[in-house]
């Protein structure tokens, strides 16, 4: 009994120490009263949340390891929307990352919905955390079609079918996603065959983009922003993010100094992950374990996306993530998440806000104010016009 009491005391003490460390590890917030602090607070509208199942019977789900496949693609979805607002709402379709899930960025979706957006996020059939047969990144080529199907279904809802008041504005549809979801966002925006022309603005967060040259991006002339961290161990900043300004006319790049890849995921700031000194450690471990399931290299996994005739060049793509090692002084994930939420709200607000003055205010916040409140942020804009003429 005495040993048991000692063990109980030790466990309680350990929990207390970890709890204190977790609280002390909370990220530094923007200055009180600043525009950033105000925008991080919930917007004026109450938020409703509904789960929904979309079934696309026109496209199959491929076989995957011990999963035999299915004749349809079943998309478990969560919708966030403003309650009590009978107007026309912009729609944002969110794409989760590899081995992630649709509600991973629920706090971001709720913030957007409180400002009048309808946000739809699905579990992609073969790349979510619990995908049958194990997550398989090769299925990414089918994910733009999943987004288009969800958009079709939501635009086709009769008033009685919609779980929210008001309707979707078909002229204000945006796409955003993280990591493989960032790649999905790029594909649904720019790909010559699977892009959706209804996408009017696009935000890729740490998305894989090293494959694409200026010919690929020339397929769509819409606002595009890449959000990335300089110390991303999984999707290297130098080969995926930095070239965006030279390849996409009129695009923007928002850089977070010392930002990591996993720092863009909400789970990175949850217990116990906040206590990790290296946010990308777990992401590197999980991704490399997944890659060990297959003898194919990364180029082989993405071969279905297209070839040089599409402006897609897979040769020279690194075979393994995390080859450069982990950074010495990564940014706190919680602070990176604040920047992500503010960037998303301001970017889409600068294009989708109903009031022109509000759009201009969001654009100014993105270009100037965010970097003042968060010194680790740098915003760069590419000039408009054909890339080839520069």
């Amino acid at each position: 009994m005495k040993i048991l009491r000692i063990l109980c005391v030790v466990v309680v003490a350990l929990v207390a120490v970890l709890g204190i460390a977790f609280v002390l590890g909370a990220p530094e917030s923007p200055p009180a009263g600043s525009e950033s602090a105000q925008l991080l607070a919930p917007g004026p509208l109450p938020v409703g949340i509904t789960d929904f199942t979309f079934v696309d019977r026109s496209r199959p789900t491929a076989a995957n390891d011990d999963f035999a496949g299915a004749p349809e693609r079943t998309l478990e979805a969560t919708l966030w929307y403003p309650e009590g607002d009978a107007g026309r709402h912009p729609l944002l379709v969110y794409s989760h990352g590899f081995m992630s899930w649709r509600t991973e960025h629920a706090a971001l979706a709720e913030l957007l919905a409180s400002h009048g957006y309808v946000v739809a996020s699905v579990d992609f059939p073969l790349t979510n955390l619990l995908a049958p047969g194990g997550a398989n990144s090769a299925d990414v080529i089918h994910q733009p079609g999943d987004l288009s199907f969800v958009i079709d279904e939501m635009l086709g809802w009769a008033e009685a079918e919609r779980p929210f008041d008001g309707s979707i504005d078909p002229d204000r549809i945006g796409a955003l996603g993280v990591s493989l979801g960032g790649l999905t966002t790029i594909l649904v925006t720019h790909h010559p065959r699977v892009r959706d022309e209804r996408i009017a603005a696009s935000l890729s967060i740490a998305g894989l983009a090293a494959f694409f040259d200026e010919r690929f991006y020339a397929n769509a002339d819409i606002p595009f922003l890449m959000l990335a961290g300089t110390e991303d161990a999984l999707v290297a900043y130098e080969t995926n993010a930095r070239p965006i300004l030279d390849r996409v006319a009129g695009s923007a790049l928002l850089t977070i100094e010392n930002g990591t890849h996993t720092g863009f995921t909400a789970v990175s700031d949850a217990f116990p992950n906040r206590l990790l000194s290296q946010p990308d450690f777990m992401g590197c471990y999980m991704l490399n374990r997944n890659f060990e399931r297959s003898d194919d290299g990364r180029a082989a996994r993405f071969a279905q996306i297209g070839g040089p005739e599409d402006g897609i060049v897979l040769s020279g793509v690194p075979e393994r993530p995390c080859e450069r090692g982990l950074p010495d002084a990564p940014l706190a994930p919680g602070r990176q998440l604040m920047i992500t939420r503010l960037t998303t709200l301001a970017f889409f607000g600068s294009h989708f806000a109903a009031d022109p003055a509000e759009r201009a205010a969001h654009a100014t916040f993105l270009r100037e104010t965010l970097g003042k409140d968060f010194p680790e942020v740098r915003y760069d804009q590419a000039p408009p016009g054909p890339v080839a003429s520069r």
Side-chain angles (χ1 to χ4, degrees):
M1 290 296 294
K2 183 176 180 180
I3 294 176
L4 184 60
R5 285 197 297 270
I6 292 173
L7 288 175
C8 289
V9 170
V10 171
V11 169
V12 170
L14 179 60
V15 170
V17 169
L18 291 175
I20 293 171
F22 181 78
V23 172
L24 293 177
E28 180 184 357
S29 298
S34 66
E35 190 173 352
S36 290
Q38 295 172 20
L39 287 176
L40 283 171
L45 300 171
V47 175
I49 305 172
T50 297
D51 288 330
F52 202 88
T53 301
F54 296 97
V55 181
D56 185 352
R57 303 189 188 283
S58 69
R59 299 182 305 134
T61 303
N64 184 42
D65 200 9
D66 59 356
F67 171 60
E72 69 285 318
R73 287 181 73 86
T74 299
L75 308 169
E76 299 296 339
T78 299
L79 309 180
W80 294 262
Y81 47 86
E83 292 189 317
D85 185 350
R88 288 160 67 85
H89 310 295
L91 169 64
L92 300 179
V93 286
Y94 172 81
S95 298
H96 66 71
F98 189 54
M99 294 188 290
S100 188
W101 56 94
R102 67 183 187 274
T103 60
E104 203 279 327
H105 258 300
L108 171 60
E110 288 188 36
L111 178 64
L112 291 164
S114 74
H115 285 273
Y117 294 87
V118 173
V119 182
S121 178
V122 302
D123 282 337
F124 292 116
L126 294 183
T127 65
N128 74 81
L129 182 64
L130 301 179
N136 185 346
S137 57
D139 198 58
V140 70
I141 188 59
H142 302 296
Q143 294 182 175
D146 295 334
L147 298 180
S148 291
F149 181 76
V150 169
I151 294 171
D152 288 342
E153 293 291 291
M154 293 183 68
L155 289 179
W157 276 341
E159 183 177 356
E161 296 176 295
R162 291 192 292 265
F164 48 86
D165 298 317
S167 60
I168 298 297
D169 186 345
D171 294 325
R172 293 188 293 165
I173 298 176
L176 71 153
V178 177
S179 189
L180 194 72
L183 170 58
T184 302
T185 298
I186 293 172
L187 294 174
V188 79
T189 303
H190 295 281
H191 195 282
R193 290 179 295 282
V194 301
R195 71 186 181 95
D196 192 315
E197 296 184 359
R198 295 169 296 187
I199 302 298
S202 181
L203 168 61
S204 178
I205 304 171
L208 287 85
F211 318 137
F212 309 122
D213 65 22
E214 61 275 5
R215 295 170 299 163
F216 173 84
Y217 291 108
N219 290 307
D221 182 18
I222 67 168
F224 176 71
L225 173 66
M226 173 68 82
L227 171 60
T230 61
E231 298 301 322
D232 189 324
L234 284 79
V235 178
Y237 175 84
E238 293 295 331
T239 54
N240 291 275
R242 186 183 290 279
I244 288 296
L245 298 175
D246 295 325
R247 297 177 182 176
V248 191
S251 64
L253 171 62
L254 195 141
T255 300
I256 304 177
E257 193 68 30
N258 295 321
T260 61
H261 191 82
T262 311
F264 285 117
T265 65
V267 70
S268 64
D269 193 45
F271 185 85
N273 294 330
R274 183 192 287 178
L275 304 178
L276 295 175
S277 60
Q278 294 290 348
D280 278 350
F281 171 79
M282 189 57 68
C284 288
Y285 173 78
M286 292 180 65
L287 197 57
N288 280 316
R289 281 290 301 272
N290 178 272
F291 281 8
E292 289 173 2
R293 295 174 52 245
S294 172
D295 292 332
D296 295 333
R298 185 184 293 191
R301 287 189 186 88
F302 296 131
Q304 294 184 61
I305 291 176
E309 68 279 4
D310 303 313
I312 302 171
V313 182
L314 296 174
S315 61
V317 176
E319 290 297 314
R320 290 282 179 180
C322 313
E323 289 180 333
R324 294 185 306 143
L326 299 174
D328 294 329
L331 185 67
R335 191 162 168 92
Q336 193 168 326
L337 288 169
M338 292 179 194
I339 296 169
T340 301
R341 290 163 189 162
L342 290 166
T343 299
T344 304
L345 186 60
F347 172 71
F348 287 110
S350 69
H351 300 289
F352 289 164
D355 181 2
E358 187 178 351
R359 291 199 297 272
H362 279 299
T364 299
F365 174 84
L366 196 59
R367 290 194 310 265
E368 302 174 10
T369 310
L370 182 58
K372 294 177 182 177
D373 293 342
F374 292 84
E376 59 268 50
V377 165
R378 184 178 71 253
Y379 179 86
D380 296 294
Q381 182 89 41
V387 172
S389 65
R390 295 179 197 167

